[in-house]
Every structure is written in C-alpha cells, then in structure tokens.
Amino acid sequence: MTPSPSPGSVPPAVPDGPGEATRRAEPGACVDSLDPVDTVDSLVLHATDNGVSWLTLNRPDVMNAVTWDQRERLIGRLADASADPDVRAVVLTATGKGFCAGADLRGAPPAGERVAGDVARMIRNGAQRLITAVLDCEKPVIAAVNGTAAGLGAHLALACDLVLAAESARFIEVFVRRGLVPDGGGAYLLPRLIGPQRAKELLFFGDALSAAEAERLGLVNRVVPDGELAKTAREWAERLAAGPTRALALTKQLVNASLDTDRNTAFAAEATAQEINMTTADAQEGVASFVARRRPEFRGR
C-alpha cells in the first residue's frame, strides 16, 4: 500500500515554498515551465487507501495546467491501477481553485524545427494518450472536479466514468477562443455525452459552463457543496472499491464500446463478457450469496 497523505481531506494541503509555480494561469493558456526544484512526485500526488487510488494534480498557482511530465505520470499511474489487484477504484482531483486549466506545452521536451505531421503526432502521443488512459483504465475512475476545467482539463474530467463537481466548478471548451480545433478527444466525448447539437454549442462558442448547468446537460453526475466534494468522492470510490471489480471493468468496456458499434456486435460482446465474468470469484460469490440470502463480499478477484 502506498503511504497516504490522508486522502480523506483531498484536495491535500498546498505546500508553501519555492517549489510552487509563480504565476496563475488563464484557463487554457500555456504557462511558465516548472521551477527546477519541482518534482513530478510533488506535482502529481498519489495515495492508495481502502482500495482507492487517489491521483491529485498539484500545481494550484497555474490552475493545474498539465506538463509533459505530469501527463506521463498520470498515464503511468492509471496503468498501474489497472494492473494492481489491490486497487479497485481511482479518484482524479486537484488542489486549489482549478481542476485543470489545460495543457502546459512548455513542459514538453525540446523539439527541433517543426515539419508537417509534427502537430498531429504531438496530439496523438500527448493529449489523446492521456484521455485514452482514462477511458481504458480497468478500474472505475471518478473525477472530483474542484474548480475550473478548461480545454484538455475539461476532457480529462469528462473521460472519467463518473463526474462529481463542486458548486464552484466550471467547464470551458476554450479551444475556439484561441482559434484552435478541440483536441484531447473533445469532439469525440461531447457528442456521446450530450448529443451533437449541444456539443457544437459548447465547442463553437467556448462559453463557461457552471457546474449546475453541466449537471443539467448530463456532463456531471452530481454537484455538491465545495466542502463536501472530497467526502462524496471518498464515499463513491469506496463503494465502487467494495464492488465486483472485474465485472465493473467489463461493464465499462461494454458501455464505452457500445457507442461505436452496431447492435449485433454489442450483443455478442455482452455475451462474451458475461462468459468471461462468470469465471471470476466475485461472480461465484454473487450467485452463492443470492442463494444463501446474504450480502455478497466481493474481493475484486
């Protein structure tokens, strides 16, 4: 088990000192690169508690704009969560007033002269890999959105399986404000969540969306008072962590794939998933507990 900085109080306290970034970012803006004394371990906090992996972005002075190193660490942590049988749910959150202001491109390794194909490659290997890591994580992922989620930050939240938002949170499709096409899966995720017309409205205008409006549209599962976000995220995550982990993983795969396939393919995948799931100890426990009329005790196996 990873030592825990008391994830019950997530977001964790923000450190004071020279390791912090020195300028607050505008949502979606590139920001100054990291101070040399900053380390990726201090900028992506990690703790495992009661079967829940807590991943906390910790660059509050720049609204948690994600650097290249942070992105790679998040991808790695999500892969670790998939492979670790003791991890049965993941919570993704942040410190300060911003969930994530987007990508901090200045944190990327130095590149030479740009040629045709470089931008597409950067997006495939960068933002799209991060969103894919969330979508493909074999454990349910909860976004606990504590503040502004802009650009890639909004897509990072919306790629999660469940989204909790503090009342003060905002979601901004900031790309159009910069004359850019949405990347990081925005044009893929949004139509599947709220339909093409609503998606185009958000992507075309780039207006800030309140947490309450995001909930009304179906982008957010629940809005809670700011002071109750960590508590609610813990309750939801621990409930998932007590569930049949492999069944949840297969269910996640079925739901995600159903949006891109026909009925016959979806039904075939469903039958196959159930066939696989019935070999797990949790499925056998579920059936046995039903017959015995007792509450099941799932072990994530």
Side-chain angles (χ1 to χ4, degrees):
M1 302 287 280
T2 304
S4 168
S6 185
S9 59
V10 171
V14 179
D16 294 321
E20 292 186 343
T22 57
R23 181 168 65 86
R24 186 170 299 281
E26 177 188 1
C30 290
V31 297
D32 295 335
S33 55
L34 297 178
D35 187 294
V37 302
D38 279 325
T39 66
V40 70
D41 285 329
S42 71
L43 301 176
V44 181
L45 305 179
H46 176 240
T48 301
D49 185 62
N50 288 338
V52 179
S53 177
W54 293 81
L55 303 177
T56 305
L57 298 174
N58 187 33
R59 296 183 72 205
D61 283 358
V62 289
M63 295 181 67
N64 295 301
V66 176
T67 67
W68 183 90
D69 286 339
Q70 284 178 298
R71 183 195 73 213
E72 294 304 307
R73 179 54 56 90
L74 284 173
I75 291 171
R77 291 294 191 194
L78 289 163
D80 291 344
S82 288
D84 187 348
D86 291 327
V87 172
R88 299 171 66 183
V90 178
V91 176
L92 180 60
T93 190
T95 60
K97 296 182 178 180
F99 175 75
C100 179
D104 178 359
L105 301 182
R106 299 186 189 187
E113 180 182 358
R114 178 177 293 172
V115 298
D118 281 353
V119 172
R121 188 179 308 106
M122 177 182 69
I123 292 170
R124 286 196 303 269
N125 294 336
Q128 290 178 353
R129 281 181 58 241
L130 176 57
I131 299 305
T132 297
V134 177
L135 293 171
D136 289 349
C137 182
E138 295 180 26
K139 308 299 165 62
V141 183
I142 297 174
V145 183
N146 55 296
T148 297
L152 177 62
H155 303 162
L156 181 60
L158 299 179
C160 293
D161 302 300
L162 299 170
V163 182
L164 295 169
E167 289 178 340
S168 63
R170 299 185 305 159
F171 298 82
I172 311 173
E173 286 297 333
V174 76
F175 296 94
V176 69
R177 299 185 184 184
R178 312 286 180 258
L180 300 175
V181 170
D183 61 37
Y188 174 85
L189 293 167
L190 279 169
R192 286 163 171 76
L193 292 168
I194 59 175
Q197 303 305 114
R198 291 288 193 182
K200 290 172 187 174
E201 180 181 346
L202 297 181
L203 295 168
F204 287 1
F205 292 115
D207 294 333
L209 197 66
S210 70
E213 183 68 5
E215 182 183 32
R216 187 185 70 81
L217 290 177
L219 293 173
V220 167
N221 291 91
R222 186 173 301 176
V223 176
V224 299
D226 288 23
E228 296 182 11
L229 180 65
K231 175 177 177 290
T232 305
R234 172 176 284 278
E235 290 172 350
W236 282 35
E238 290 187 351
R239 184 176 176 185
L240 290 169
T245 307
R246 296 313 305 166
L248 292 177
L250 290 166
T251 300
K252 174 176 179 172
Q253 292 173 14
L254 288 173
V255 173
N256 287 350
S258 72
L259 300 171
D260 299 313
T261 192
D262 60 89
R263 184 189 66 191
N264 288 338
T265 302
F267 277 22
E270 176 187 276
T272 300
Q274 193 70 291
E275 176 76 24
I276 295 170
N277 185 64
M278 287 304 297
T279 66
T280 67
D282 280 348
Q284 296 169 34
E285 163 64 7
V287 173
S289 65
F290 174 77
V291 173
R293 297 184 179 181
R294 59 174 173 80
R295 185 173 181 173
E297 295 183 7
F298 298 122
R299 298 185 295 109
R301 304 294 196 273

